[in-house]
Amino acid sequence: MAASSRRAGRALAAFWIIVLTGTALGAGTLQILGPMAPEAGGAETPREVTVQSYHEAAAQSPIVPEPPRQSTPAASAPLKPGAPVPAPQAAMLETPIGGAPAGLPQVGPDGRKPMHAYAAGVDPYDGRPRIALLFGGIGLSESDSEDALHSLPAAISFVVSSYAAKPDHLLADIRAAGHEFLVALPMEPRNYPLDDPGNQALLTSATPAQNAKRLDWSLSRFAGYAGVTNAAGNLRGERFAAGGQMTAVLQALARRGLFYIDSGTARPADAPPSMVARGIDLVLDEPAVRTEIEAKLATLEAMARERGAVIGFATLPRPVTIDRIAAWTAKLSEHGIALVPVSAVAAMPPFVSHSQ
């Protein structure tokens, strides 16, 4: 009996030695390897968590989520100053009808407008007062037009006559040199019929249907222009612009995504609210005399400092006008003023002080 008790005691002691040894070894293994993951389908050990709303977490996070990237067509990328202006885009032209040389401009299927697609490059971060120059009469004289093209900086916008004969080669050179251009829309001038605007001019005596057909004729002579103006050389279309049919013309231009520059000094009163429209601030070459042109350019600088942005207009590419403007623009940056395309000023309100 005593021997049996001793054997039982030794067995019990051995059992506890094995248990304690196994426990010690297991604790050491966990210390080295860390806790084992729960088996598939097993429940994790509950732990305390703090729940925050999405907005609270985002507010406390120093990382701002990046917005989703959107692809941008290459044609919509802003142009650098002096970069070639894009050629006419088929998606922004109606199919030519009636033997017209070009299709009528239209807003593209993606909503892009000709006034943006064919605008010349500009530095959007340049905060200096702005001067835009509109040079008329391009396409009427090949030699004078070529002189203007090769002598004037790319920021100057050209006005191409709708009466220009076969201007495609000239327009390709204009685009390649970085100039945007507008089409000159002939209208009935103040001294009509003594001053003749041509057989496709918009007239107060014509019916709305006749004028609509003539408008389409002018807009379909060529393609790739950003805007329209009634400042056609020495003729300004004042009488028609002041008449009752001008509203329909401006509405048609707005639907086609074109901006409009009037020969007057303010935005046309009957322009649709959504339309980009502006008036010319100063005519530079009337008379076309060297000293007069230089005085007008100095006046234009003063106006730009006062108003922030102005538009000057040269009626025709005469040698004296080209020479004086070329010399003036070469030093304009030194005067603290930026020379920009007309499209960069057209949407800015006139008579606004740059200090505001």
Side-chain angles (χ1 to χ4, degrees):
M1 183 69 178
S4 176
S5 297
R6 287 194 295 272
R7 285 195 300 271
R10 287 196 295 269
L12 182 60
F15 170 78
W16 284 112
I17 290 172
I18 293 171
V19 171
L20 293 173
T21 302
T23 303
L25 289 174
T29 302
L30 290 175
Q31 186 69 24
I32 296 172
L33 299 179
M36 296 179 65
E39 294 182 0
E44 289 187 279
T45 303
R47 57 182 175 179
E48 183 180 359
V49 295
T50 302
V51 180
Q52 292 177 307
S53 69
Y54 172 83
H55 299 290
E56 291 172 338
Q60 294 179 6
S61 174
I63 301 176
V64 179
E66 183 179 356
R69 297 182 181 271
Q70 297 180 352
S71 59
T72 302
S76 65
L79 293 179
K80 294 181 179 180
V85 172
Q89 302 174 27
M92 301 177 70
L93 291 170
E94 294 181 2
T95 303
I97 57 175
L104 290 166
Q106 65 179 0
V107 177
D110 59 352
R112 189 160 171 77
K113 298 180 179 181
M115 72 171 73
H116 301 139
Y118 308 127
V122 64
D123 181 1
Y125 302 106
D126 192 335
R128 296 176 296 175
R130 293 181 169 188
I131 290 180
L133 292 185
L134 200 56
F135 223 101
I138 302 298
L140 296 178
S141 168
E142 183 177 355
S143 60
D144 289 345
S145 299
E146 291 288 344
D147 189 16
L149 173 60
H150 296 299
S151 302
L152 298 173
I156 291 181
S157 305
F158 289 156
V159 178
V160 182
S161 172
S162 58
Y163 294 127
K166 299 180 179 179
D168 290 345
H169 179 72
L170 174 63
L171 296 181
D173 290 343
I174 288 174
R175 286 192 293 266
H179 296 272
E180 67 183 22
F181 59 93
L182 291 71
V183 61
L185 184 60
M187 297 181 184
E188 182 177 327
R190 180 180 293 111
N191 294 325
Y192 180 81
L194 295 178
D195 293 331
D196 185 6
N199 60 2
Q200 292 295 332
L202 308 184
L203 302 175
T204 56
S205 58
T207 66
Q210 290 173 325
N211 282 323
K213 185 176 181 180
R214 292 182 177 189
L215 173 63
D216 287 351
W217 183 92
S218 290
L219 298 182
S220 63
R221 295 303 92 193
F222 45 83
Y225 49 88
V228 175
T229 180
N230 64 340
N234 293 321
L235 303 182
R236 311 289 160 72
E238 303 96 336
R239 184 179 294 178
F240 184 86
Q245 294 192 51
M246 189 63 190
T247 299
V249 172
L250 294 174
Q251 290 173 340
L253 298 179
R255 286 195 300 270
R256 297 193 178 279
L258 301 164
F259 68 80
Y260 175 74
I261 303 298
D262 193 78
S263 62
T265 58
R267 173 188 169 93
D270 47 0
S274 61
M275 186 178 195
V276 175
R278 179 72 183 268
I280 290 169
D281 294 282
L282 187 65
V283 178
L284 304 172
D285 57 346
E286 291 181 345
V289 178
R290 174 179 178 139
T291 54
E292 293 289 340
I293 293 173
E294 291 175 344
K296 294 284 184 64
L297 291 171
T299 300
L300 195 64
E301 282 191 44
M303 294 169 68
R305 293 189 181 93
E306 177 186 353
R307 304 177 183 178
V310 292
I311 298 175
F313 176 58
T315 61
L316 294 169
R318 301 181 181 93
V320 62
T321 308
I322 295 173
D323 177 72
R324 288 299 84 209
I325 289 181
W328 173 74
T329 56
K331 298 182 178 180
L332 189 59
S333 183
E334 299 175 6
H335 300 173
I337 294 177
L339 181 68
V340 299
V342 167
S343 59
V345 172
M348 298 178 66
F351 313 130
V352 175
S353 173
H354 183 64
S355 61
Q356 293 182 352

